[in-house]
Amino acid sequence: MNFFTIALRGLWRRPVRTGLTLLGISVGIAAVVALVGIASGYEKSVVNQLDVIGIDVIVSNMEGGMMPQVFDESLKPKVAELPDVEEATTVLMKMLMVEDAPMMMVSGREWGGFTWDQLKVLEGRMPRDENEKAVVVGRLAADVLEKEVGDTVQIEIDEFEIVGIVDGGSVVENGAIILALSRFQEVMGYEGKANFLDLRVSEGISEEELEALMEEIETIYPEGRAVRASEVVGTSQGFRIAQAMSWSTSLLAIIVGILGVMNTMLMTVFERTHEIGILLALGWKRRMIVFLVLCESAILGLIGGIVGILIGFVSLELLVQTDTIRGILEPDFSKELVFRAIGIAVIVGVVSGLYPAWRSSRMMPSAAIQS
Amino acid sequence: MDSQDQTDNTATPIFDVVDVTKEFDQGKVQALRGVTLRIEDGEFVSMIGTSGSGKSTLLHLLGSLDHPSSGTLRFKGQDIGNLPDPAEFRAREIGYIFQSFHLLPTFTVEENVQIPMFGLPGNTAKSRKERAVELLEAVGLSHRLGHLPTKLSGGERQRAAIARSLANNPTVLLADEPTGNLDSDTAVQIMQLLGKLHAEHRTTMVLVTHDIEVAENASRIVQMKDGRIISDPKAPAASHQSHPS
Ligand SMILES: Nc1ncnc2c1ncn2[C@@H]1O[C@H](COP(=O)(O)OP(=O)(O)OP(=O)(O)O)[C@@H](O)[C@H]1O
Ligand SMILES: [Mg+2]
């Protein structure tokens, strides 16, 4: 028998209460894991997509919503002629309900632009030219839509032939429907408009030159913002709202967890006043009692955290199987997230044990024994 | 036993209690009203008195489970009335035995005996266990090591509690009505055990009871009433405690 067994024995004494407290913590931690996993998974997936395509800078008007506002295509030549801009290409991208899929990325890309380059045809072919009423679909999108080459897909009010299934090297690309910009503009009623201007800049550009370039673009297009590809997700308002929501939900979960554990530990301390008195009479130091209470609440936190991570992981995995999420993001279940979740859980445990521990240490042994 | 008075008075006593009072509830309750008492090393003292006379309160003060309101309380010449952290003193010097045993219900008998050993440094898990088994053998409970206290009879529980009180090899055993919850036959056995332990180890023993037969196991019987000592064969002559009120 050691100190740790004594703490465990204390918890085991009220298995139902301990179990319920654990459930409370683990649901909270599961929420943290799932929400943060989704948010950072989304960020990673998008960054990965832009990286694969080779986009350095994105120009868009991110005001309001997950998808930016449209601008006139005439912006492109003005930006393209700036020094250090290697290539520029316009994209009109929308999240649409496509047939049975509740959310699907549809990406109309300027014909001949570099955004087509990384697509590898797995089956079928690319559209013959920009006038063909055809789309290629990423392999995840094909899966979600249950389509094969030769099928048609309805986008808004129009039907397109699926001429190819492609691998774009990232979840976002593989979950998308890709077609020529002019065809998509037509369907959406956005003739001459796009909502992204993707840039490749010259290789040896310095930080300062890049800053200057981005500033210059913003003077040409005052409503828009030029952002490095690696930072683009963070500047999206929709993403920021989603992230804030995920963190505030996490915070709520943490507060509820702390209150739950604190309540349990306070009950434990009151209930065991007599027992604590005996321990003191038997020569236990007050700080041993404090440590015992903290140990018990830290164990609650730790076990709750581990269970919570498992629940969070399983629910993320299940969530990714749903058609809503599949092809939009790959959940980010990183080591950091695991450590953070365990850290949060243990801190929740210890913090909520502080007050009960302090209470327990203030008892006068003679009075505690008589209670 | 009076013949030893002179020699005893020269040696440093185990407990030297001088004019100690204890109040509760901001003075509304006066549990001890000026108690003076000397207990020598190796003595076996019984304290008797009616309910509410302050016996338990005095025992708590001796075990440093509470502070006196006034007066001095010395253990081997050292003031213990207001130790900042009395835990070490309790763990090292005091073994406590209670009327209702106070074994921890979620620990086996053998684990219960180990509990006080956590109060002192230098014990390994192995040494704790070995000592617990040894002590339980000494009180005749070696067949009950792995049982929970609830599975034991009252007499067995008190034996386990006695083994626990000896865990750190204390200087003093303080027993508060150790036979109060036992039938008379079992009470006799427990008193025999305590008598035997006292005889073998010369542990100083202070026993609180209101059963005169139990009290007579001791070599000295101190009687309390209303927070005062009203009779003590070894009372210091100078400040003999009659009550002039
Ligand atoms: N924590 C306390 N708060 C208030 N009053 C107390 C407290 N402890 C003891 N008392 C009071 O002090 C007096 C002495 O109590 P104590 O427990 O010492 O008596 P006792 O001689 O042990 O009695 P008994 O034989 O019933 O155990 C009683 O009047 C009791 O009500
Ligand atoms: Mg009493």
Side-chain angles (χ1 to χ4, degrees), chain A residues 188-237:
Chain A
M188 301 301 293
Y190 276 135
E191 274 85 1
K193 308 272 184 205
N195 59 0
F196 287 100
L197 179 59
D198 297 338
L199 307 181
R200 275 181 179 168
V201 296
S202 46
E203 199 111 333
I205 189 167
S206 71
E207 259 316 288
E208 294 79 43
E209 285 166 330
L210 187 62
E211 284 293 332
L213 173 64
M214 296 196 298
E215 253 171 60
E216 195 163 354
I217 294 170
E218 286 175 12
T219 56
I220 300 174
Y221 177 33
E223 307 87 60
R225 296 251 288 122
V227 201
R228 284 181 192 79
S230 57
E231 289 161 8
V232 71
V233 182
T235 59
S236 143
Q237 211 176 42

Side-chain angles (χ1 to χ4, degrees), chain A residues 316-346:
Chain A
L316 264 182
E317 286 298 307
L318 292 177
L319 213 59
V320 195
Q321 301 303 314
T322 65
D323 287 352
T324 322
I325 304 284
R326 199 146 60 118
I328 295 175
L329 61 88
E330 204 166 29
D332 181 25
F333 193 73
S334 60
K335 234 186 272 162
E336 287 98 305
L337 180 56
V338 173
F339 286 138
R340 179 153 24 151
I342 297 239
I344 289 174
V346 173

Side-chain angles (χ1 to χ4, degrees), chain A residues 370, chain B residues 24-25 29 31 50-57 177 210:
Chain A
Q370 285 165 345
Chain B
F24 291 107
D25 300 334
V29 180
T50 49
S51 183
S53 57
K55 308 180 295 292
S56 296
T57 305
E177 314 230 22
H210 47 230

Side-chain angles (χ1 to χ4, degrees), chain B residues 14-239:
Chain B
I14 284 287
F15 285 114
D16 191 6
V17 180
V18 182
D19 215 14
V20 158
T21 67
K22 179 66 186 176
E23 300 179 343
F24 291 107
D25 300 334
Q26 287 92 37
K28 276 188 227 116
V29 180
Q30 290 183 294
L32 297 177
R33 301 167 188 249
V35 169
T36 298
L37 179 69
R38 255 175 90 101
I39 297 175
E40 310 299 334
D41 191 7
E43 254 193 307
F44 184 168
V45 181
S46 283
M47 321 257 307
I48 59 167
T50 49
S51 183
S53 57
K55 308 180 295 292
S56 296
T57 305
L58 180 56
L59 210 61
H60 287 159
L61 295 183
L62 295 181
S64 198
L65 297 183
D66 209 338
H67 308 296
S69 302
S70 72
T72 56
L73 199 62
R74 277 190 287 267
F75 175 85
K76 290 184 176 171
Q78 184 204 348
D79 195 338
I80 55 160
N82 283 294
L83 293 173
D85 181 9
E88 166 109 15
F89 166 74
R90 286 182 214 132
R92 233 174 253 295
E93 313 287 2
I94 306 291
Y96 231 105
I97 302 164
F98 306 92
Q99 176 173 359
S100 36
F101 326 124
H102 291 343
L103 296 167
L104 304 181
T106 42
F107 296 90
T108 65
V109 168
E110 180 249 310
E111 287 167 339
N112 261 287
V113 176
Q114 286 189 42
I115 293 282
M117 303 180 198
F118 285 86
L120 290 181
N123 289 315
T124 63
K126 190 159 165 281
S127 71
R128 279 195 294 264
K129 197 179 167 88
E130 281 171 3
R131 171 130 181 93
V133 172
E134 194 180 297
L135 287 167
L136 284 164
E137 273 166 11
V139 299
L141 275 186
S142 43
H143 59 301
R144 290 297 207 182
L145 300 178
H147 288 75
L148 290 176
T150 46
K151 301 279 186 278
L152 268 56
S153 72
E156 287 176 321
R157 287 185 208 188
Q158 198 56 297
R159 283 170 191 276
I162 291 169
R164 179 180 66 178
S165 74
L166 298 170
N168 292 333
N169 202 8
T171 316
V172 183
L173 277 187
L174 303 176
D176 195 345
E177 314 230 22
T179 57
N181 279 9
L182 305 174
D183 62 62
S184 49
D185 286 351
T186 316
V188 168
Q189 287 168 15
I190 290 295
M191 285 317 299
Q192 278 168 354
L193 175 62
L194 287 175
K196 185 176 136 231
L197 290 170
H198 173 66
E200 279 172 9
H201 302 285
R202 301 309 300 166
T203 312
T204 307
M205 190 116 71
V206 183
L207 171 85
V208 162
T209 179
H210 47 230
D211 181 338
I212 185 69
E213 273 182 48
V214 170
E216 277 167 353
N217 284 281
S219 52
R220 171 179 168 198
I221 299 177
V222 174
Q223 199 176 350
M224 289 190 75
K225 193 183 177 203
D226 296 335
R228 290 191 178 89
I229 290 176
I230 54 165
S231 123
D232 176 1
K234 282 199 186 176
S239 61

